[in-house]
């Protein structure tokens, strides 16, 4: 007995001296070492014992000492923040347009949670576009290959409450209700695989996207649009779709593959798989829906060149057969670009691009070498609608009056925004539409109405009246939520004395704004300025009537 005690003492002493920490994984006794890193927020970091207080420290150590041998990072249950959620500083991109919590360059690594289920080990951030970050905040930029994770929750809790069942003191409320782009990981490498993991966010989930081959086994996903990996293979996975287009598109050669998956849709009406057509294979998948009349379709315009097939799938327990696309795509002509006309000539239109003074903090510049406007068909919420469409940020239209006009001035503009839910623009980064009358096109002086996306709403815009004074723009009425900036939106502006009135109507609903003009003028020009993104964030200008 005495010799057994001496042996145990010497064994424990040897583990301390040689740098080992004991823990248990799947019933097996494990010790930390150069290829087995151990993370616990109850421990202090000790590189000598290969033990780390945070996930970030373990990754940095593995990155710094990488010799291309296979390593495993084991993580004890807790919530591990990759970015300090209490830091009030706004996260900005180090390079490019995307801010990351961590940029990791590491291959041949596995990350394993030591809990009973993936909820026990949470890797968390909670920032998104305009909500704690300038750009689509992302947990990881991961450069490397042969990366594996198991039994972990990866969460961007910008717009989702973090509820940690093991310890309520670690719970954290979402930053805001309005949903913005808040991402998990972007990859530069190949061969990423995940087993029994969860990926939690809403818009632009990005659960390690970018690798040519990514496999998810027995994983769970919560997301809205533009969210999932377009190169992924999803085996026995579960999904909750909070909106109608979980993929922007998929890999053109092999597409995405779903096998034996369970998918719950919270969409009403039609659930699409992709925003832009791409190949999708679904076998033995079970759909359920909050809407008993839900329709499942591949895409609004499925391309017959893309292999889309559904086999042995059900919707609310009934057989589901979404036909493989065979019909030719409807004719979709490229935009007929309008020739730029930057000169200001009485009685004529100015057609150009311009960066207004209140967008200087945002990193874009108008390109005067190419057209800013085209005659084209809108997409998404404006599908089938033809009119003038922005081809670049800063697209501007102005009409310069002939001298000598008198009387009241008015304008009526009909719009079909491409953003169907009503948020109008791609993000809350100085993206707006101004429509102005009483306008001097030379000095940029006049009055108008603004529609702008803000962090407060994800299915609406803010609207208010503005004054332009020599290019400086000032708000002259209180901001109001506007739910009418959707297809069929009509905006009427008129003046009477020193009062400016804007009337917005859509689908029989009306919203009226009015304000006093501090500097009434006799100008009779018109001005329309769009600072939003193009494509799916553009607005079709159907008609402009000036009086």
């Amino acid at each position: 007995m005495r010799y057994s005690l001496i042996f145990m003492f010497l064994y424990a002493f040897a583990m301390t001296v040689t740098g080992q920490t004991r823990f248990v994984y799947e019933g097996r006794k494990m010790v930390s070492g150069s290829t087995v890193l151990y993370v616990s927020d109850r421990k202090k970091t000790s590189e000598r014992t290969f033990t780390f207080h945070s996930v970030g420290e373990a990754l940095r150590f593995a990155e710094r000492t990488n010799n291309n041998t296979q390593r495993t990072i084991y993580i004890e249950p807790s919530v591990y923040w990759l970015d300090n959620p209490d830091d009030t500083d706004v996260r900005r991109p180090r390079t490019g347009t995307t801010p990351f919590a961590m940029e990791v360059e590491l291959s041949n690594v596995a990350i394993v949670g030591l809990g009973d289920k993936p909820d026990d080990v949470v890797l968390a951030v909670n920032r998104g576009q305009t909500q704690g970050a300038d750009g689509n905040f992302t947990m990881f930029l991961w450069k490397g290959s042969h990366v594996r994770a198991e039994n972990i929750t990866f969460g961007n809790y910008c717009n989702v409450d973090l509820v940690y069942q093991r310890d309520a003191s670690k719970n954290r409320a979402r930053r805001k209700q309005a949903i913005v782009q808040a991402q998990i990981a972007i990859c530069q490498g190949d061969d990423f695989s995940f087993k029994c993991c969860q990926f939690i966010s809403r818009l632009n989930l990005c659960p390690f996207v970018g690798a040519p081959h990514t496999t998810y086994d027995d994983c769970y996903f919560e997301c809205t649009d533009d969210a999932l990996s377009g190169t992924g293979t999803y085996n026995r996975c579960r999904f909750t779709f909070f909106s109608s287009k979980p993929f922007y598109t998929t890999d053109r050669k092999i597409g995405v593959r779903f096998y034996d998956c369970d998918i719950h849709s919270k969409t009403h009406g039609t659930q699409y798989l992709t925003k832009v057509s791409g190949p999708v294979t679904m076998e033995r998948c079970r759909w359920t829906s909050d809407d008993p009349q839900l329709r499942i379709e591949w895409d609004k315009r499925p391309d017959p060149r893309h292999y889309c097939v559904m086999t042995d799938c059900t919707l609310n327990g009934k057989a589901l057969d979404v036909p493989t696309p065979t019909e030719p795509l409807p004719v979709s002509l490229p935009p007929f670009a309008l020739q730029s006309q930057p000169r200001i000539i009485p009685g004529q239109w100015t057609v150009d691009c311009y960066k207004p003074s209140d967008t200087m903090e945002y990193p874009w510049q108008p390109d005067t070498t190419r057209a800013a406007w085209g005659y084209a068909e809108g997409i998404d919420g404006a599908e089938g609608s033809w009119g003038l469409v922005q081809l670049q940020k800063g697209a501007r239209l102005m009409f310069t009056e002939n001298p000598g006009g008198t009387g009241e001035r008015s304008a009526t503009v009909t719009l079909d925004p491409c953003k169907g839910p009503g948020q109008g623009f791609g993000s809350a980064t100085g993206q707006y539409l101004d429509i102005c009358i009483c306008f001097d096109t030379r000095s940029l002086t006049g009055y108008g109405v603004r529609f702008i996306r803000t962090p407060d709403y994800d299915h609406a815009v803010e609207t208010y009246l503005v004054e332009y004074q020599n290019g400086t723009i000032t708000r002259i009425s209180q901001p109001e939520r506007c739910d009418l900036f959707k297809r069929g939106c009509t905006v009427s502006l008129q003046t009477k004395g020193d009062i400016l009135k804007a009337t917005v109507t859509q689908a029989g609903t009306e919203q009226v704004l009015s304000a006093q003009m501090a500097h009434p003028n006799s100008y009779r020009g018109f001005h329309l300025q769009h600072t939003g993104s193009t494509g799916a964030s553009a607005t079709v200008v159907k008609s402009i009537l000036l009086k």
Side-chain angles (χ1 to χ4, degrees):
M1 181 68 176
R2 182 180 61 181
Y3 293 109
S4 298
L5 291 173
I6 292 172
F7 175 79
M8 291 176 63
F9 172 78
L10 291 174
Y11 177 71
F13 177 75
M15 285 195 297
T16 302
V17 171
T18 58
Q20 293 178 302
T21 299
R22 289 176 289 180
F23 62 97
V24 177
Y25 172 59
E26 293 186 339
R28 292 181 288 135
K29 294 180 180 179
M30 306 281 290
V31 291
S32 64
S34 60
T35 61
V36 177
L37 308 186
Y38 174 78
V39 178
S40 171
D41 62 359
R42 296 179 289 107
K43 301 281 188 178
K44 292 183 178 180
T45 293
S46 170
E47 293 185 0
R48 181 178 59 82
T49 61
F50 305 99
T51 300
F52 302 89
H53 179 74
S54 71
V55 173
E57 289 173 304
L59 288 172
R60 285 289 177 244
F61 175 82
E63 184 181 52
R64 190 174 69 252
T65 59
N66 181 29
N67 57 6
N68 287 323
T69 58
Q70 178 66 43
R71 281 181 164 172
T72 303
I73 301 174
Y74 292 94
I75 309 173
E76 289 286 354
S78 192
V79 176
Y80 296 89
W81 290 94
L82 275 298
D83 172 88
N84 183 358
D86 296 315
D87 187 343
T88 58
D89 287 349
V90 173
R91 300 295 186 258
R92 304 186 187 279
R94 186 177 64 86
T95 60
T97 60
T98 303
F100 296 96
M102 283 196 72
E103 298 184 29
V104 179
E105 192 164 349
L106 186 62
S107 296
N108 302 308
V109 65
I111 307 174
V112 178
L114 293 174
D116 297 326
K117 55 186 184 299
D119 307 73
D120 293 339
V121 177
V122 179
L123 274 56
V125 295
N126 73 339
R127 298 176 189 269
Q129 174 69 271
T130 72
Q131 296 181 14
D134 178 9
N136 298 353
F137 189 78
T138 306
M139 183 184 294
F140 290 119
L141 171 61
W142 199 297
K143 301 176 183 179
S145 296
H146 314 300
V147 176
R148 180 173 66 87
E150 182 177 341
N151 209 33
I152 290 174
T153 293
F154 298 89
N156 191 326
Y157 295 96
C158 183
N159 306 129
V160 184
D161 293 336
L162 170 55
V163 179
Y164 188 62
Q165 295 181 354
R166 293 175 66 105
D167 183 353
S169 70
K170 298 182 186 294
N171 291 354
R172 193 174 188 95
R174 68 192 75 182
R175 280 184 179 261
K176 286 194 175 183
Q177 188 71 24
I179 295 172
V180 298
Q181 296 92 336
Q183 303 174 168
I184 300 296
I186 295 173
C187 309
Q188 294 178 5
D190 199 9
D191 187 21
F192 283 72
S193 62
F194 302 89
K195 181 179 179 181
C196 296
C197 289
Q198 296 188 131
F199 301 90
I200 308 296
S201 187
R202 289 296 182 263
L203 184 58
N204 291 28
L205 172 67
C206 294
F208 290 82
V209 302
H213 302 92
T214 307
T215 303
Y216 306 91
D217 295 322
D218 303 291
C219 293
Y220 174 68
F221 306 79
E222 287 185 8
C223 63
T224 61
D225 283 356
D226 302 343
L228 298 178
S229 170
T231 59
T233 298
Y234 302 87
N235 300 310
R236 302 173 305 280
C237 291
R238 297 179 299 116
F239 303 82
T240 302
F241 293 158
F242 287 87
S243 64
S244 62
K245 302 179 187 72
F247 293 95
Y248 176 77
T249 191
T250 65
D251 182 83
R252 288 294 186 269
K253 292 183 179 179
I254 58 174
V256 297
R257 298 152 300 281
F258 294 83
Y259 300 112
D260 196 22
C261 293
D262 290 279
I263 306 169
H264 182 69
S265 172
K266 291 187 172 293
T267 298
H268 288 263
T270 303
Q271 172 74 61
Y272 300 98
L273 269 296
T274 61
K275 181 176 289 185
V276 175
S277 183
V280 179
T281 297
M282 303 194 81
E283 295 185 8
R284 304 181 310 280
C285 293
R286 297 160 294 278
W287 287 80
T288 55
S289 171
D290 291 350
D291 177 7
Q293 304 301 317
L294 184 76
R295 291 171 51 87
I296 308 292
E297 296 186 12
W298 302 114
D299 185 85
K300 280 192 173 183
R301 291 189 173 192
D303 191 327
R305 294 174 297 178
H306 297 152
Y307 182 76
C308 292
V309 62
M310 188 173 289
T311 306
D312 296 332
C313 296
T314 60
L315 172 58
N316 290 334
K318 298 180 180 179
L320 174 63
D321 179 21
V322 180
T324 298
T326 56
E327 295 296 322
L329 283 177
V331 175
S332 182
L333 300 175
F336 177 75
L338 301 184
Q339 183 176 355
S340 295
Q341 202 297 90
R343 293 179 297 165
I344 294 175
I345 302 172
Q348 293 191 22
W349 286 90
T350 298
V351 182
D352 67 355
C353 53
Y354 179 78
K355 186 177 178 69
S357 61
D358 58 358
T359 65
M360 292 304 171
E361 65 180 289
Y362 301 104
W364 62 270
Q365 292 297 326
D367 183 355
T368 58
T369 66
R370 61 186 180 92
W373 292 90
Y375 182 73
E377 180 187 7
I379 59 177
D380 290 343
E383 183 178 357
S385 174
W386 288 79
L388 295 184
V389 178
Q390 307 83 45
L391 302 183
Q392 61 166 300
K393 285 172 90 61
R396 181 175 69 168
L397 294 172
M398 297 193 298
F399 182 77
T400 303
E401 79 280 10
N402 283 309
T406 60
E408 297 176 2
R409 290 143 292 173
S410 67
T412 300
V413 180
T414 304
L415 306 166
D416 285 341
C418 292
K419 290 289 188 184
Q423 70 271 42
F425 308 91
S427 62
T429 53
Q431 298 195 30
Y432 62 75
L433 172 68
D434 280 356
I435 302 173
C436 301
I437 58 174
C438 309
F439 205 83
D440 176 34
T441 57
R442 296 171 183 83
S443 67
L444 302 184
T445 296
Y447 290 89
V449 63
R450 171 168 293 185
F451 300 94
I452 182 169
R453 184 167 181 177
T454 74
D456 297 322
Y457 311 115
D458 55 2
H459 287 76
V461 294
E462 268 189 0
T463 186
Y464 48 83
L465 301 178
V466 294
E467 177 185 26
Y468 278 66
Q469 275 289 334
N470 298 312
T472 299
I473 308 165
T474 305
R475 178 168 54 83
I476 61 171
S477 72
Q478 290 299 313
E480 299 181 17
R481 175 181 175 131
C482 179
D483 296 290
L484 309 180
F485 198 68
K486 302 175 183 178
R487 187 173 186 141
C489 178
T490 298
V491 183
S492 296
L493 282 168
Q494 64 182 32
T495 62
K496 190 168 185 179
D498 63 352
I499 299 299
L500 172 70
K501 178 181 176 182
T503 304
V504 184
T505 59
Q506 192 267 339
T509 302
E510 181 178 279
Q511 186 172 0
V512 178
L513 300 88
S514 64
Q516 185 176 27
M517 296 182 291
H519 307 95
N521 62 60
S522 59
Y523 302 132
R524 298 183 59 81
F526 173 83
H527 170 264
L528 185 149
Q529 173 79 65
H530 193 284
T531 65
S533 305
T534 58
S537 301
T539 297
V540 179
V541 181
K542 297 286 292 180
S543 64
I544 301 173
L545 176 63
L546 306 180
K547 289 185 180 181

